[in-house]
Amino acid sequence: MPELPEVETIVRSLKQGGITGESILNRQIHAADLFWDRTLAFSDPGTDFLAWFSGKSVDGVSRRGKYIVISIPPKSLIIHLRMSGDIRVETDDAGTLQKHDRFLLRFADGLRMVFNDTRKFGRIWLTATPETLFAALGIEPLSEAFNAEWLRTNLGARKTAIKALLLNQSFIAGLGNIYTDEILFQAGILPTRKAFTLRSDEIERLPEIIKSVLQTGIKNNGASIDWVYRGGNFQNHFQVYQRAGAPCYRCGTPIVKDVVGQRGTHYCPYCQH
DNA sequence: CCTGAAACCTGTCTGC
DNA sequence: TGCAGACAGGTTTCAG
């Protein structure tokens, strides 16, 4: 499900209330529960993971790439939703838990935060040193530091397909399959283009297009497809994603779907070069 | 270093 | 209706 805009929407909701339910800020934790052991990717050695939470309070919620960072001093609980993860906040008497619930925090005031993940790819970490986890992550695409100059410097002589490079989290942190296809359409660049072949005018425009598509996604609370993620509206703005065979909104040419870097890839063979 | 395939999982949809 | 196979928002690991 989640790429940067969906994760950002969930983070804002956990802070201010929204699609996940009420805010979790400043709530004291009563207990934690883990229902699928492999969901826990890492916990600092010497800590009893489940017991640790009792009595601690949520101090902040933020995002790095597609990671959700919940500050619970002196540690951070980090959640990556991967393909099918979702978070909801509800009252603890909201009824029985759901089929694919993997982890939860019970708050002292009767609320609970539940991590649900059908495909079990999602992971959580509990650590006092989250920087270690993020050491290899690339630049934040919505930061000021991410601009044409940065891209020109870092594109270098990379021979990989531009789509694969944009998906590489150690290059730029947060782009996924949907937004990458939409970005490359807006940029008029074929997904298979080798990164080093981008012209200077394309490099100049690309960072602004990336920011603009991500911001549009965030404004729409992300994209909701199938059963996985609810609350978003960006799916109604797709230009190419999931539009194989349908006419391009710009030129009428049927949108093509191929595989690039092992991912389904949608593009307009006329508008993108 | 880069590339591709496979693995990790469950659910849905398509075609025979 | 049943069933096999393909496919899905992501990332890691391993072979070449």
Side-chain angles (χ1 to χ4, degrees):
Chain A
M1 149 252 264
E3 304 181 32
L4 189 152
E6 290 76 31
V7 174
E8 178 66 25
T9 300
I10 288 173
V11 164
R12 291 181 183 185
S13 174
L14 289 174
K15 283 199 287 196
Q16 312 156 11
I19 66 161
T20 59
E22 288 187 59
S23 166
I24 62 168
L25 283 184
N26 303 313
R27 293 189 198 278
Q28 188 180 46
I29 299 163
H30 176 251
D33 255 313
L34 182 67
F35 309 112
W36 180 253
D37 285 348
R38 298 187 62 175
T39 293
L40 178 60
F42 177 84
S43 178
D44 286 333
T47 304
D48 180 341
F49 174 72
L50 286 180
W52 182 85
F53 291 93
S54 182
K56 307 287 195 308
S57 290
V58 175
D59 190 52
V61 184
S62 58
R63 177 188 63 72
R64 176 75 173 93
K66 300 174 191 172
Y67 292 84
I68 297 164
V69 183
I70 301 175
S71 170
I72 306 172
K75 292 180 187 282
S76 290
L77 174 70
I78 297 158
I79 302 177
H80 196 305
L81 304 168
R82 293 280 175 90
M83 291 286 263
S84 61
D86 196 11
I87 292 177
R88 63 179 199 277
V89 179
E90 61 194 10
T91 57
D92 208 8
D93 57 10
T96 54
L97 291 169
Q98 295 178 14
K99 188 174 181 185
H100 303 299
D101 289 343
R102 309 298 180 199
F103 172 76
L104 72 73
L105 292 180
R106 282 181 214 285
F107 297 106
D109 62 5
L111 231 58
R112 70 185 178 203
M113 184 193 83
V114 186
F115 172 54
N116 181 282
D117 180 26
T118 302
R119 293 179 69 181
K120 297 179 178 171
F121 290 167
R123 293 290 181 268
I124 64 179
W125 296 255
L126 180 65
T127 178
T129 55
E131 321 82 61
T132 313
L133 183 59
F134 302 143
L137 269 191
I139 194 167
E140 280 293 324
L142 293 179
S143 67
E144 283 187 30
F146 177 64
N147 52 36
E149 187 185 357
W150 182 94
L151 188 60
R152 196 175 299 115
T153 306
N154 288 276
L155 217 49
R158 299 225 187 202
K159 290 177 296 184
T160 193
I162 185 65
K163 160 135 184 179
L165 185 60
L166 293 182
L167 285 175
N168 183 343
Q169 302 299 298
S170 64
F171 188 64
I172 300 172
L175 302 184
N177 205 37
I178 294 176
Y179 290 89
T180 300
D181 280 4
E182 294 297 320
I183 285 162
L184 289 173
F185 173 76
Q186 295 294 342
I189 297 170
L190 275 177
T192 46
R193 282 271 295 283
K194 309 276 190 189
F196 75 89
T197 70
L198 293 209
R199 299 186 312 266
S200 61
D201 62 301
E202 291 171 326
I203 293 173
E204 198 63 38
R205 291 172 61 231
L206 192 49
E208 287 314 311
I209 290 170
I210 289 173
K211 288 173 200 263
S212 150
V213 172
L214 291 175
Q215 294 287 14
T216 303
I218 292 171
K219 272 192 198 125
N220 286 279
N221 289 332
S224 300
I225 301 173
D226 299 336
W227 78 98
V228 179
Y229 173 86
R230 65 273 180 288
N233 191 47
F234 187 63
Q235 67 279 8
N236 298 317
H237 298 267
F238 290 166
Q239 303 292 299
V240 289
Y241 188 78
Q242 282 196 338
R243 294 198 66 244
C248 171
Y249 291 132
R250 265 185 208 162
C251 74
T253 304
I255 299 299
V256 171
K257 183 182 180 188
D258 274 346
V259 175
V260 178
Q262 298 180 244
R263 308 300 300 275
T265 298
H266 314 72
Y267 62 95
C268 172
Y270 181 82
C271 294
Q272 294 174 254
H273 311 283

